[in-house]
Amino acid sequence: MNAHTMIKLSGLIPAVFTPFDKSGAINLPQIRPYADKLAADGADGVFVCGSTGECTSMTVAERKSVLEAWVKAAAGRMRVIAHVGGTCQADCIELARHAAGQGVDAVGAIAPFYFKPASVEELVDFYKPIAAAVAPIPFYTYHMPSVTGVNLPMKEFLEKGSRAIPNLNGIKFTSNNFMEMLECIRLEDGRFDILNGFDEMLLCGMAAGARGGVGSTYNYSLSTYRNLYDAFLAGDIERARAFQQESVDIVHVIIRHGGGVRGGKAIMNHLGIDCGDCRLPFAPYTESEMRRLGEELDRIGFAK
Amino acid sequence: MNAHTMIKLSGLIPAVFTPFDKSGAINLPQIRPYADKLAADGADGVFVCGSTGECTSMTVAERKSVLEAWVKAAAGRMRVIAHVGGTCQADCIELARHAAGQGVDAVGAIAPFYFKPASVEELVDFYKPIAAAVAPIPFYTYHMPSVTGVNLPMKEFLEKGSRAIPNLNGIKFTSNNFMEMLECIRLEDGRFDILNGFDEMLLCGMAAGARGGVGSTYNYSLSTYRNLYDAFLAGDIERARAFQQESVDIVHVIIRHGGGVRGGKAIMNHLGIDCGDCRLPFAPYTESEMRRLGEELDRIGFAK
Amino acid sequence: MNAHTMIKLSGLIPAVFTPFDKSGAINLPQIRPYADKLAADGADGVFVCGSTGECTSMTVAERKSVLEAWVKAAAGRMRVIAHVGGTCQADCIELARHAAGQGVDAVGAIAPFYFKPASVEELVDFYKPIAAAVAPIPFYTYHMPSVTGVNLPMKEFLEKGSRAIPNLNGIKFTSNNFMEMLECIRLEDGRFDILNGFDEMLLCGMAAGARGGVGSTYNYSLSTYRNLYDAFLAGDIERARAFQQESVDIVHVIIRHGGGVRGGKAIMNHLGIDCGDCRLPFAPYTESEMRRLGEELDRIGFAK
Amino acid sequence: MNAHTMIKLSGLIPAVFTPFDKSGAINLPQIRPYADKLAADGADGVFVCGSTGECTSMTVAERKSVLEAWVKAAAGRMRVIAHVGGTCQADCIELARHAAGQGVDAVGAIAPFYFKPASVEELVDFYKPIAAAVAPIPFYTYHMPSVTGVNLPMKEFLEKGSRAIPNLNGIKFTSNNFMEMLECIRLEDGRFDILNGFDEMLLCGMAAGARGGVGSTYNYSLSTYRNLYDAFLAGDIERARAFQQESVDIVHVIIRHGGGVRGGKAIMNHLGIDCGDCRLPFAPYTESEMRRLGEELDRIGFAK
């Protein structure tokens, strides 16, 4: 194990949206002001080209250009974690090599989600050359069984995976199986870095021992989570609960208004950070949807 | 609202097994020593004829006799909560009336799980006469979507349900949707009593604000949970995590050895509290299974 | 094997509704005119106290009284198959004994659906004393994995089950796994009787070799299915398809208007066969729902 | 509507495997002998770069090269249908343009399976430019809800889709919802071409009216299906059932030996058509697996 793979991505890391323009093309110039906002908000990092960034709706070339823009825009103010996952291992390796060349702080990859690994071994073997392509930069698996349908035991994955993948550093853990999260956090005296993935349950993730989170709602509600995070570490759990409730309120709004990606992007637009529309299969946000979203945000007292 | 419905069932409440004898009949005399053990262990109550008690494998008459035995055996040392749920409302009402007559402290009922309510309204209407049959004794819904397939929004249930059911007091919340648990706990300034149902995530439930739990592993690991509970309330979360890990270890054993009911009952037998076998469709525990279970329990240092 | 267990329940067997009166009590006198209608329509049998009959919403005593009324009302004009399944084996055995005493033609039981058998062996062992209680009357398992969550391999069940249960005669097969249906039909040269359960795919069941069906829509659309059935056996598959389409049209109506039990019962009421409302958790049918249902039935040309 | 979109892809169309060499690279030279075998077996077409072809494990460039090789190798002896689907619309459009340039007979695309369309409209909008890129070549949606999680109503899709997509010609229908298949086949007097997708239920698909099928087991069992197909059309359904049983037997073997892609490829290798191993996340087939597979194939009398 080397210095690189000892890092812990503590703190709050927005999974950033990918801004598109009216024509549907990537709006690269918009990434700089977006990064400025997150840096001003105090984000500890950005998770680029993840689900929130609609990675599966972009070509390999587009994913590269988006990552390049974020590395440049982050400008050392925030860590940059590149998501390079997909169903095609060759594409993932290419993206991994590219990410390493950009000097990112860490790399993550989702489990292949069309054909699904039937065993921990198949998942480890899938990841092995991808992680090798970025070594010694730390590699994370992105665990999200509700979306991928891949629900292999993560403790076993860390045990077997770390033997085959020296730079395996942890898990972006997007699951509400906190039993599993706890044992991954405690494995080998806390060797691995387990990042909380469900923003609306960050409090539970922190109770289980997580010290970092990656989430899409951090993009527009970072102060809520910062308050939760600080209160928890200060031992004021009742205060942390109040901020978790604030988070739950906003999550209910996005559930009712298009979901985490489509609705979340609309909130960014509402805040004046132009992210454009999603790509299909997400329909463009309509004006009347935008108006109703604004009304609901007002209703819950969402600070613009 | 009356005094009755203001109670909070704080603390640790084992969901008790139903002891059967060799012939498969209920082993009523065995309930007294079982209750003595739990009282000695410091249980705050017992949840009788729930899933763990194999309620769905017993006749209405059997459920009554089991409850009577527990009320007698608890002898005021622990609260008694009677589970009266099922698919047939008429049976539930009969069981509810009987439970009220036994002077139980609270009553719970699972959502009907064959035909499933399609709306909160249907669930409230199903419960209404059952809860009325025990009023003013507090009534709880038993929420366990992974088993029942009924996953209606619980916050809305509390809001609408409490208007129709004056003695609706809370939820036995067996779900890892801690976002929902948190908002149910915080609703109307904490009016409702939300009991944690997944033992292996009690820490997360407590982080969300739960102060009571109902669980099957409390039957044989109560001290682990007591330590967790006390540590959490004392603000020593790292210590609480260590005990949660102890709980996770035992849960893995039961997952591998027959599940919470069949494997859990085997642990009771291992501990010398004769609970006999489960009823079908759970196969009797074999001697070789018993031996392997004992070896695994030794391996994790389970205190006999 | 004896004569009893050699029967094949060929033809079309409505799974009958249980008529309730305004107070929610069973409307026993209504069963005679209901039976008269089915006999006049040419039903080959009735499947009593199944899902459609809301068995899980009735007490054991109620289920007995409903069966008695149907046996009397059928009056030898149609076969009577009694459903005696449930989660409690003791209740099932009691119902089975009662059914045998009534002289029914066959008995069926659904797989236990709360605690679920984890193996074919557990399912066989659960059924064994139930089937024994009716021997030599033929016994059927009622396979409906979409509702019970029990999806054990049915061919293996027949092989192992018939060794332990001499009067195991077949399966009420309510699944669209027609691969499995075909191999069950062909097993041991067609020894077992496999009854088609999804009315809207009767054509496929017949293609696979089924010669009988049990279904809820037969209650009000028997002539459609009779036409389909006769056309198929006559080798006129295109004509059979046209009647299957008629069936699909009516199934879409019930899907949109309350489902097979609640919406189906409303159609019976629409036809003048008073079946009353369902029991909770199914909400009573409202007048405006009834009006909209009538309009849709008119729209598809449903013959009153 | 033009001539192109009036075609019906009747008959049996193997969904072909993609041969890989020892290094994991595409084994292009192997496609010619593979095509020769299928042509000799009497295949009516080939479905290239579908699931069976591991399309999601290949780069865009690789998919193009595989298609080019198949068009060349088919050499007019069989129809060529190109699958161009994926999660990234831009990649799909590029693949569609390329396929059109190769002169394929038809093009199909799976529903986007990472982000899932929430409405028929979103699915239609996703497909629209892909289908436009190949017009007037006929376009098919590839419906496989068990894998994609996209289970939108297909009849409504055909109705709305055909207004937006003039060359929408039908559905590769891989679902056992034969109610839905029947109504899609019968829609607008049979305007659309609905291809059966579950080989082990081809008989049911034909009963519903399908006249063509696309499947992976056709690669190595074509004569079984040809016999089934011919018997059905000749009105000899009992004979068709016997061949369907043959198909079921082989499907059980692949279920037990690696599944349709991994196990199916092994059968091809067993037959001497070198397809190599699958790409990860499918582990390479081991020698002992190969031996056991061979034994099972012998046991069921699989003709080499």
Side-chain angles (χ1 to χ4, degrees):
Chain A
M1 212 182 317
N2 53 53
H4 245 113
T5 65
M6 301 292 293
I7 69 163
K8 299 265 158 133
L9 296 170
S10 63
L12 302 169
I13 301 170
V16 293
F17 300 98
T18 299
F20 295 116
D21 65 23
K22 297 277 176 206
S23 75
I26 295 167
N27 187 348
L28 289 173
Q30 181 56 20
I31 287 173
R32 182 64 199 237
Y34 187 173
D36 291 347
K37 174 219 168 10
L38 294 181
D41 286 354
D44 294 299
V46 285
F47 186 80
V48 178
C49 288
S51 290
T52 304
E54 297 175 71
C55 61
T56 55
S57 303
M58 290 192 281
T59 66
V60 167
E62 287 177 327
R63 288 174 70 168
K64 289 181 185 173
S65 70
V66 168
L67 180 64
E68 290 167 17
W70 273 104
V71 169
K72 218 167 172 178
R77 295 177 294 178
M78 305 171 284
R79 278 170 163 162
V80 175
I81 301 100
H83 179 256
V84 302
T87 63
C88 171
Q89 198 192 42
D91 283 344
C92 296
I93 293 170
E94 183 177 339
L95 287 165
R97 271 198 204 113
H98 172 263
Q102 296 300 311
V104 298
D105 296 283
V107 165
I110 203 163
F113 46 85
Y114 189 78
F115 297 125
K116 298 175 207 304
S119 66
V120 164
E121 285 74 13
E122 285 187 338
L123 183 58
V124 169
D125 287 347
F126 182 84
Y127 281 145
K128 199 173 165 178
I130 304 169
V134 301
I137 294 172
F139 177 82
Y140 290 76
T141 179
Y142 178 1
H143 180 58
M144 184 158 55
S146 61
V147 171
T148 59
V150 180
N151 201 1
L152 295 166
M154 281 295 104
K155 184 182 158 213
E156 186 187 333
F157 170 78
L158 290 175
E159 289 168 335
K160 293 185 174 163
S162 59
R163 288 201 283 272
I165 304 170
N167 55 328
L168 176 60
N169 202 54
I171 306 174
K172 173 168 165 7
F173 195 98
T174 306
S175 157
N176 49 15
N177 184 344
F178 290 100
M179 162 178 165
E180 187 170 41
M181 187 195 258
L182 180 102
E183 57 183 357
C184 289
I185 288 172
R186 297 180 65 82
L187 183 65
E188 298 181 29
D189 290 315
R191 168 175 168 193
F192 298 101
D193 189 23
I194 310 301
L195 302 163
N196 186 78
F198 276 137
D199 306 350
E200 62 275 25
M201 299 186 220
L202 174 59
L203 176 59
C204 294
M206 294 193 77
R211 286 294 164 271
V214 175
S216 72
T217 69
Y218 300 170
N219 280 291
Y220 42 81
S221 296
L222 199 63
S223 66
T224 295
Y225 294 99
R226 181 64 65 199
N227 286 330
L228 188 171
Y229 190 88
D230 292 345
F232 185 90
L233 290 186
D236 190 349
I237 296 186
E238 185 54 27
R239 185 173 151 84
R241 281 179 202 122
F243 287 109
Q244 186 70 80
Q245 180 68 57
E246 239 180 67
S247 142
V248 168
D249 292 343
I250 190 84
V251 166
H252 276 302
V253 171
I254 57 172
I255 288 172
R256 277 193 299 268
H257 292 268
V261 180
R262 187 170 173 268
K265 228 168 174 175
I267 294 182
M268 295 303 282
N269 292 333
H270 174 83
L271 288 176
I273 305 294
D274 180 12
C275 285
D277 274 314
C278 289
R279 286 190 169 172
L280 284 159
F282 291 126
Y285 223 72
T286 66
E287 272 181 48
S288 72
E289 281 185 293
M290 200 70 199
R291 197 170 49 246
R292 283 198 304 273
L293 170 67
E295 288 164 6
E296 269 237 51
L297 291 172
D298 287 349
R299 205 179 50 72
I300 67 162
F302 180 76
K304 197 165 179 161
Chain B
M1 214 182 315
N2 53 53
H4 246 113
T5 65
M6 301 294 291
I7 68 162
K8 300 265 158 132
L9 295 170
S10 60
L12 302 169
I13 300 170
V16 293
F17 299 98
T18 298
F20 296 115
D21 66 20
K22 297 276 175 207
S23 75
I26 295 166
N27 189 348
L28 290 173
Q30 181 57 18
I31 288 173
R32 182 64 200 234
Y34 187 173
D36 290 347
K37 175 219 167 11
L38 295 180
D41 287 354
D44 295 299
V46 285
F47 186 80
V48 179
C49 289
S51 292
T52 304
E54 296 174 71
C55 62
T56 54
S57 303
M58 289 192 281
T59 67
V60 168
E62 288 177 326
R63 288 173 70 167
K64 289 181 186 174
S65 70
V66 169
L67 180 64
E68 290 168 18
W70 274 103
V71 169
K72 218 168 173 177
R77 295 177 293 179
M78 304 170 286
R79 280 171 161 160
V80 175
I81 301 101
H83 179 255
V84 302
T87 63
C88 171
Q89 200 192 41
D91 284 343
C92 297
I93 293 170
E94 184 179 336
L95 287 166
R97 273 200 203 113
H98 172 265
Q102 296 300 311
V104 298
D105 296 283
V107 165
I110 203 163
F113 46 85
Y114 188 80
F115 296 127
K116 299 173 206 302
S119 67
V120 164
E121 285 73 13
E122 285 187 336
L123 183 58
V124 169
D125 287 347
F126 182 84
Y127 280 145
K128 199 174 166 177
I130 303 168
V134 301
I137 294 171
F139 178 82
Y140 290 77
T141 180
Y142 178 0
H143 178 59
M144 184 159 56
S146 61
V147 171
T148 61
V150 180
N151 201 2
L152 295 165
M154 281 295 103
K155 185 183 159 209
E156 186 187 332
F157 170 79
L158 290 175
E159 290 168 335
K160 293 185 174 163
S162 59
R163 290 200 283 272
I165 301 170
N167 56 330
L168 177 60
N169 201 56
I171 305 174
K172 172 167 163 12
F173 194 98
T174 306
S175 156
N176 50 14
N177 184 343
F178 291 99
M179 162 176 166
E180 189 170 42
M181 187 196 259
L182 180 101
E183 58 183 357
C184 288
I185 288 172
R186 298 180 64 83
L187 184 65
E188 298 181 31
D189 289 317
R191 168 175 169 194
F192 298 101
D193 189 21
I194 311 301
L195 301 163
N196 186 77
F198 277 136
D199 306 349
E200 63 274 25
M201 300 186 219
L202 174 59
L203 177 61
C204 295
M206 294 194 78
R211 286 295 164 271
V214 175
S216 70
T217 67
Y218 300 171
N219 281 292
Y220 43 80
S221 297
L222 199 64
S223 64
T224 296
Y225 294 99
R226 181 64 64 200
N227 287 331
L228 186 171
Y229 190 88
D230 292 345
F232 185 90
L233 290 186
D236 189 348
I237 296 185
E238 184 54 25
R239 185 172 150 85
R241 279 179 204 123
F243 287 108
Q244 188 70 81
Q245 180 68 55
E246 238 179 66
S247 142
V248 167
D249 291 343
I250 190 83
V251 166
H252 276 300
V253 172
I254 57 173
I255 289 172
R256 277 192 299 268
H257 292 267
V261 181
R262 187 169 173 271
K265 228 170 174 173
I267 295 182
M268 295 303 281
N269 292 333
H270 173 83
L271 288 176
I273 306 294
D274 178 13
C275 285
D277 273 314
C278 290
R279 285 189 169 174
L280 286 159
F282 290 126
Y285 222 73
T286 65
E287 271 180 51
S288 72
E289 281 185 294
M290 199 70 198
R291 198 173 44 246
R292 283 199 302 274
L293 171 67
E295 289 164 6
E296 269 237 50
L297 290 173
D298 287 348
R299 206 180 49 71
I300 67 163
F302 179 76
K304 200 165 179 164
Chain C
M1 214 180 320
N2 53 54
H4 245 113
T5 63
M6 302 293 294
I7 70 164
K8 300 267 160 133
L9 296 170
S10 63
L12 301 168
I13 300 170
V16 293
F17 299 98
T18 299
F20 296 116
D21 66 21
K22 296 278 176 205
S23 75
I26 295 167
N27 189 347
L28 290 173
Q30 181 57 19
I31 288 173
R32 183 64 199 235
Y34 186 172
D36 291 347
K37 174 218 169 12
L38 295 182
D41 287 355
D44 295 298
V46 284
F47 186 79
V48 179
C49 289
S51 290
T52 303
E54 296 174 72
C55 60
T56 55
S57 303
M58 290 192 280
T59 67
V60 167
E62 288 177 326
R63 288 172 71 167
K64 290 181 186 173
S65 70
V66 168
L67 180 64
E68 290 167 18
W70 274 102
V71 170
K72 218 166 170 179
R77 296 177 293 178
M78 306 171 283
R79 278 170 163 163
V80 176
I81 301 100
H83 178 255
V84 302
T87 63
C88 172
Q89 199 193 41
D91 283 344
C92 297
I93 293 170
E94 184 179 336
L95 287 165
R97 273 198 204 113
H98 172 263
Q102 297 299 310
V104 298
D105 296 283
V107 165
I110 201 163
F113 46 84
Y114 188 78
F115 296 124
K116 299 174 206 302
S119 67
V120 164
E121 283 76 12
E122 285 187 337
L123 184 58
V124 169
D125 287 346
F126 183 84
Y127 280 145
K128 198 174 166 179
I130 304 169
V134 302
I137 296 172
F139 177 82
Y140 290 76
T141 181
Y142 177 179
H143 180 59
M144 182 159 55
S146 62
V147 171
T148 60
V150 180
N151 202 0
L152 295 166
M154 282 294 102
K155 184 182 161 214
E156 185 188 333
F157 170 79
L158 291 174
E159 290 168 333
K160 294 185 174 165
S162 59
R163 289 199 285 271
I165 302 171
N167 57 328
L168 177 60
N169 201 56
I171 306 175
K172 171 168 164 9
F173 195 97
T174 307
S175 157
N176 49 16
N177 184 344
F178 290 99
M179 162 178 167
E180 188 170 40
M181 187 195 258
L182 179 102
E183 57 182 357
C184 288
I185 288 171
R186 297 179 66 83
L187 184 65
E188 298 180 30
D189 289 316
R191 167 175 169 193
F192 298 101
D193 189 22
I194 311 301
L195 301 163
N196 186 76
F198 276 136
D199 307 349
E200 62 273 26
M201 300 186 219
L202 174 60
L203 176 60
C204 295
M206 293 193 79
R211 284 296 164 270
V214 175
S216 71
T217 69
Y218 300 170
N219 281 291
Y220 41 81
S221 296
L222 200 63
S223 66
T224 296
Y225 294 99
R226 181 65 63 200
N227 287 331
L228 186 171
Y229 190 88
D230 292 345
F232 185 90
L233 290 186
D236 189 347
I237 294 186
E238 185 54 24
R239 184 172 151 85
R241 279 179 204 124
F243 287 109
Q244 187 68 80
Q245 179 69 56
E246 238 179 67
S247 143
V248 168
D249 290 343
I250 190 83
V251 166
H252 276 302
V253 172
I254 56 171
I255 288 173
R256 276 191 300 267
H257 292 267
V261 182
R262 187 170 173 268
K265 228 167 173 175
I267 294 181
M268 295 303 282
N269 293 333
H270 174 83
L271 289 176
I273 306 293
D274 179 12
C275 286
D277 273 313
C278 290
R279 286 190 169 172
L280 284 160
F282 290 127
Y285 223 72
T286 66
E287 273 182 48
S288 72
E289 280 184 295
M290 200 69 200
R291 197 171 47 247
R292 283 198 303 274
L293 171 68
E295 289 164 6
E296 269 236 51
L297 291 172
D298 287 349
R299 205 180 49 72
I300 66 163
F302 179 76
K304 198 163 180 163
Chain D
M1 216 182 316
N2 52 53
H4 246 114
T5 66
M6 302 292 292
I7 69 162
K8 300 264 161 132
L9 296 170
S10 61
L12 301 169
I13 301 169
V16 293
F17 299 98
T18 299
F20 295 115
D21 65 23
K22 297 278 178 205
S23 75
I26 296 167
N27 187 348
L28 290 173
Q30 180 58 17
I31 289 174
R32 183 64 201 236
Y34 186 173
D36 290 347
K37 174 218 169 10
L38 294 181
D41 287 353
D44 294 299
V46 283
F47 186 80
V48 178
C49 289
S51 291
T52 303
E54 296 174 71
C55 62
T56 55
S57 304
M58 289 191 281
T59 67
V60 168
E62 287 177 328
R63 289 173 70 167
K64 290 182 185 174
S65 70
V66 168
L67 179 64
E68 290 168 17
W70 273 103
V71 169
K72 218 165 171 179
R77 296 176 293 178
M78 305 170 284
R79 277 169 163 163
V80 176
I81 302 100
H83 178 256
V84 302
T87 63
C88 171
Q89 200 192 41
D91 283 345
C92 297
I93 294 170
E94 184 178 337
L95 287 165
R97 272 199 203 111
H98 172 263
Q102 297 299 311
V104 297
D105 296 282
V107 166
I110 202 163
F113 47 84
Y114 189 79
F115 297 126
K116 299 174 204 305
S119 66
V120 164
E121 284 75 11
E122 285 186 338
L123 183 58
V124 170
D125 288 347
F126 182 83
Y127 281 143
K128 199 173 165 178
I130 303 169
V134 301
I137 295 172
F139 177 83
Y140 290 77
T141 180
Y142 177 0
H143 180 58
M144 183 159 53
S146 61
V147 171
T148 61
V150 179
N151 201 1
L152 295 165
M154 282 295 102
K155 183 181 160 213
E156 185 187 333
F157 170 78
L158 290 175
E159 290 168 334
K160 292 185 174 164
S162 59
R163 289 200 284 272
I165 302 170
N167 55 329
L168 177 60
N169 201 56
I171 306 175
K172 170 168 166 6
F173 195 97
T174 307
S175 158
N176 50 14
N177 185 343
F178 291 100
M179 163 178 166
E180 187 169 42
M181 187 196 259
L182 180 103
E183 58 183 354
C184 288
I185 288 172
R186 296 180 66 83
L187 183 65
E188 298 180 31
D189 291 316
R191 169 176 167 194
F192 298 101
D193 188 22
I194 312 300
L195 301 165
N196 186 78
F198 277 136
D199 307 349
E200 62 274 25
M201 300 187 218
L202 174 60
L203 176 60
C204 295
M206 294 193 78
R211 286 294 164 273
V214 175
S216 70
T217 67
Y218 301 170
N219 282 290
Y220 41 81
S221 297
L222 199 63
S223 66
T224 296
Y225 294 99
R226 181 65 64 200
N227 286 332
L228 187 170
Y229 189 89
D230 292 344
F232 185 91
L233 290 187
D236 189 348
I237 296 187
E238 185 54 25
R239 185 174 150 85
R241 279 179 204 123
F243 287 109
Q244 187 70 82
Q245 180 69 56
E246 238 180 66
S247 142
V248 167
D249 291 341
I250 189 84
V251 166
H252 276 301
V253 172
I254 57 172
I255 288 173
R256 276 192 300 269
H257 292 266
V261 181
R262 187 170 173 269
K265 230 169 174 174
I267 294 181
M268 295 303 280
N269 292 332
H270 173 83
L271 289 176
I273 305 295
D274 178 13
C275 284
D277 274 312
C278 290
R279 286 190 169 174
L280 285 160
F282 291 126
Y285 222 71
T286 65
E287 271 180 50
S288 72
E289 282 185 295
M290 201 69 200
R291 196 171 48 244
R292 284 197 302 274
L293 171 67
E295 288 163 6
E296 269 237 51
L297 291 172
D298 286 349
R299 204 181 49 73
I300 67 165
F302 180 77
K304 198 160 181 168

